[in-house]
Amino acid sequence: EQWYQRRVRGDPRSRLVIHLLLGLFVGYYVWDVTCLHHVMSAVGMYTLFRVLPWDLAAGANFLFQLGYILAGYYYNNVGEDYAINWTTTMAPVTLKMMGLGFDLNDGKEKGTKLPGLLRIIGHVFFVGTYLVGPMDDFKRFSAFIDGTLFDENNGPKLSVGSQRLALGVLYLLISVITTAFFTTDFMFSHQFMEIHFVLRLLYITLWGYFNLYRYMAVWCVAESTCMYMGYTYNGPDRWDALYNFGNTAFHCSLSVQSLIDTWNIRTSAWCAKHIYKRCKFLGNKTLSQLLTMLFLALWHGVHFGYFLFFFQEFLYGMVMEKGAANNTLLQEIASTLPPKLVTFSRWIFIKVFMSFTFVPFELYFFSKIMHIYGSVYYCVPIVSAIIITSNVVFAGKTAKTE
C-alpha cells in the first residue's frame, strides 16, 4: 500500500500502465486473442482523428465503430442463439470510442487535444467498466489516472462498494434459483399449452421478470469494482456516479417511462447526449426518439428481436402511455375505483408489459417470439392497440355521464 501511494498514486504514467496491463490481462483471460478487436476499436478511432479534420473524423469514427461491431455480430451470432464472445464486450467499447470522438469534436473550439493512443487504449481496458460497463466517459477516466477525480486521502469506504456487491450477489442467487423454475424450454412444451390461460400469462410474466435479475447482478458487481477504486465519485461522500439501475424505483415503477428511467441508466444517458440531442436538427422529438431506439437496436445486434423490443419500448412509452395521460375514459374509470386498487393495477400492468416486451430481447427470432405471444392469444399487443385507439377517440374529450 505504501509503495502504491508513493510510486503509483502520484505518477499518472505508472498508474495508466498498471491499469492497462490489468485490463489487458482480464481481456486475454476472458476473450483470448479476440480481445485485440477491442484494441482495434481504439486504434481506429485514434487514426481517424490523426489523419482527418475533426468534423469528418467524428462522423467517420461513428460509422467505423458501428460497422465494426455489426460485422462482428453478423459473423458470430446470425443463425444461432446469442453467443457470448468478444462482441459482448465490444458493445461498451463501441460507445466509449464513439463518445470520445464526439466529445473531441465538440471541444475543438476550446483547444481540446487528441489524447495519446496508450491512454485511449487504457480507457477501453479499464477493468471496472471494460467487460459489461457501466458506461463512463474519457474525462472521468483521465481524471482518475491523473489523480484529480477525488481527494485520494479521503477515498471511499469499504462499505460503499460492499453494499453494491452484496446486492449483486443477492440478485445472482435469486436469478439462479428462479430461472431453474421458470425456463424458456417449458414455454415451448405441450405441457405449457395445457395449463390455464391465466397461469400461462403469469408464467411468462415471472419468467421475464426474473430473467432481468442477471443483468442487475452483473451491473451491481461491475459498479462495486468501480466504487472500491473511487471511480464512481460524484461529490463529497457520494459514490454513485455510475449507478446503472435504480433498485427500489425499478421494482416499484408504475409507468413505462419510470421503468425505462431506472434501467441501464448510464447507457440511456449516453444515448441522450450523443444520439438524441444530435437529432435536434430534425425538429421532431418523436422522430429523434425513434432514431435513438433504432440505434440502440443496431448496437445490441442484428437479430429481429432487438428491433421489436425497442419498437415496443417506443410504442408503449412514447405513444400508448403519453396518450393515456389525456385519455378521459381511462381517467373516469380510475376515478371510480379505490386509489390503492388503481395503484396495484398499474403495478401489475407494468410488470406484465415489461415481461412481454422482454420476450423478443431474449428469444431473438420471429418464430419463437410469435409462439410465446400466440400462447396467450397476443393479449398484450391487442390490449395495447385498444388503449392507443381509445387515446385517440377520448383525447381531451369530456366523458359522458348519465
Side-chain angles (χ1 to χ4, degrees):
E1 174 64 24
Q2 292 180 351
W3 175 87
Y4 179 81
Q5 291 182 1
R6 184 173 63 253
R7 298 297 303 277
V8 180
R9 292 179 68 173
D11 182 3
R13 288 179 298 178
S14 298
R15 183 188 299 208
L16 174 61
V17 170
I18 286 177
H19 282 285
L20 175 58
L21 291 176
L22 177 61
L24 287 170
F25 170 77
V26 171
Y28 182 78
Y29 179 80
V30 176
W31 306 125
D32 203 79
V33 294
T34 60
C35 71
L36 291 177
H37 288 291
H38 309 141
V39 177
M40 290 305 300
S41 178
V43 171
M45 180 268 158
Y46 178 81
T47 302
L48 288 170
F49 274 82
R50 288 282 294 180
V51 302
L52 294 176
W54 282 16
D55 286 339
L56 293 177
N61 178 58
F62 175 83
L63 295 176
F64 169 74
Q65 302 295 343
L66 185 59
Y68 200 126
I69 195 171
L70 287 177
Y73 286 145
Y74 182 80
Y75 286 108
N76 286 279
N77 295 327
V78 168
E80 59 183 70
D81 288 341
Y82 182 79
I84 297 178
N85 52 50
W86 64 269
T87 61
T88 304
T89 292
M90 192 67 175
V93 169
T94 295
L95 296 193
K96 284 184 179 183
M97 292 299 96
M98 283 182 177
L100 176 56
F102 285 135
D103 287 340
L104 286 174
N105 187 49
D106 292 344
K108 65 179 183 296
E109 301 298 333
K110 300 178 181 179
T112 302
K113 296 181 179 179
L114 179 65
L117 179 59
L118 194 65
R119 184 166 284 221
I120 295 174
I121 297 176
H123 181 218
V124 166
F125 282 90
F126 177 64
V127 68
T129 60
Y130 168 56
L131 292 176
V132 293
M135 278 307 305
D136 63 329
D137 56 31
F138 186 80
K139 182 179 179 181
R140 174 173 295 274
F141 172 76
S142 197
F144 176 77
I145 292 298
D146 293 336
T148 60
L149 182 60
F150 62 94
D151 181 2
E152 297 187 342
N153 294 317
N154 189 28
K157 297 179 181 179
L158 189 65
S159 60
V160 173
S162 298
Q163 291 174 4
R164 205 63 173 173
L165 177 62
L167 184 62
V169 172
L170 175 62
Y171 277 128
L172 181 61
L173 290 174
I174 295 174
S175 175
V176 170
I177 294 171
T178 54
T179 54
F181 291 96
F182 300 100
T183 67
T184 302
D185 290 341
F186 180 68
M187 294 190 297
F188 289 92
S189 68
H190 293 295
Q191 291 85 348
F192 181 71
M193 294 303 299
E194 292 173 355
I195 63 178
H196 193 276
F197 163 78
V198 174
L199 293 179
R200 294 200 299 271
L201 189 65
L202 177 62
Y203 189 96
I204 296 172
T205 300
L206 293 175
W207 167 87
Y209 187 71
F210 288 123
N211 263 285
L212 292 171
Y213 275 41
R214 68 176 184 269
Y215 295 96
M216 304 175 195
V218 170
W219 287 337
C220 284
V221 172
E223 289 167 27
S224 70
T225 303
C226 295
M227 288 176 174
Y228 283 130
M229 293 185 285
Y231 195 67
T232 59
Y233 179 76
N234 198 26
D237 297 321
R238 290 189 60 188
W239 307 94
D240 58 356
L242 298 185
Y243 266 20
N244 214 23
F245 90 101
N247 180 37
T248 303
F250 172 81
H251 296 291
C252 298
S253 295
L254 298 177
S255 69
V256 175
Q257 190 57 53
S258 64
L259 183 68
I260 294 172
D261 291 342
T262 67
W263 186 258
N264 210 350
I265 297 170
R266 303 310 310 160
T267 300
S268 296
W270 187 99
C271 286
K273 176 183 178 181
H274 294 299
I275 304 298
Y276 178 78
K277 291 182 180 179
R278 293 179 192 280
C279 295
K280 186 178 180 180
F281 71 95
L282 296 172
N284 188 308
K285 291 184 178 181
T286 301
L287 182 57
S288 298
Q289 186 73 28
L290 191 58
L291 289 175
T292 303
M293 294 297 179
L294 177 60
F295 169 80
L296 280 169
L298 285 170
W299 175 65
H300 276 87
V302 293
H303 288 305
F304 167 79
Y306 292 126
F307 295 90
L308 181 57
F309 170 80
F310 284 103
F311 174 74
Q312 288 184 113
E313 182 178 317
F314 170 80
L315 184 68
Y316 299 152
M318 292 294 296
V319 179
M320 182 183 73
E321 188 167 85
K322 287 191 175 182
N326 298 317
N327 189 320
T328 55
L329 175 63
L330 293 180
Q331 292 171 5
E332 182 172 325
I333 293 173
S335 67
T336 64
L337 300 174
K340 290 185 178 180
L341 178 59
V342 173
T343 299
F344 180 72
S345 299
R346 290 178 63 188
W347 185 81
I348 293 293
F349 184 82
I350 290 301
K351 293 297 176 285
V352 172
F353 269 74
M354 176 188 70
S355 293
F356 274 78
T357 303
F358 181 69
V359 167
F361 192 89
E362 183 73 5
L363 300 183
Y364 316 118
F365 301 108
F366 179 84
S367 58
K368 291 184 176 181
I369 297 166
M370 292 302 109
H371 176 87
I372 301 303
Y373 283 3
S375 69
V376 287
Y377 313 116
Y378 303 94
C379 62
V380 170
I382 290 173
V383 170
S384 304
I386 293 172
I387 294 175
I388 291 172
T389 302
S390 71
N391 289 343
V392 175
V393 175
F394 296 98
K397 293 184 178 181
T398 303
K400 295 181 180 180
T401 58
E402 295 183 359

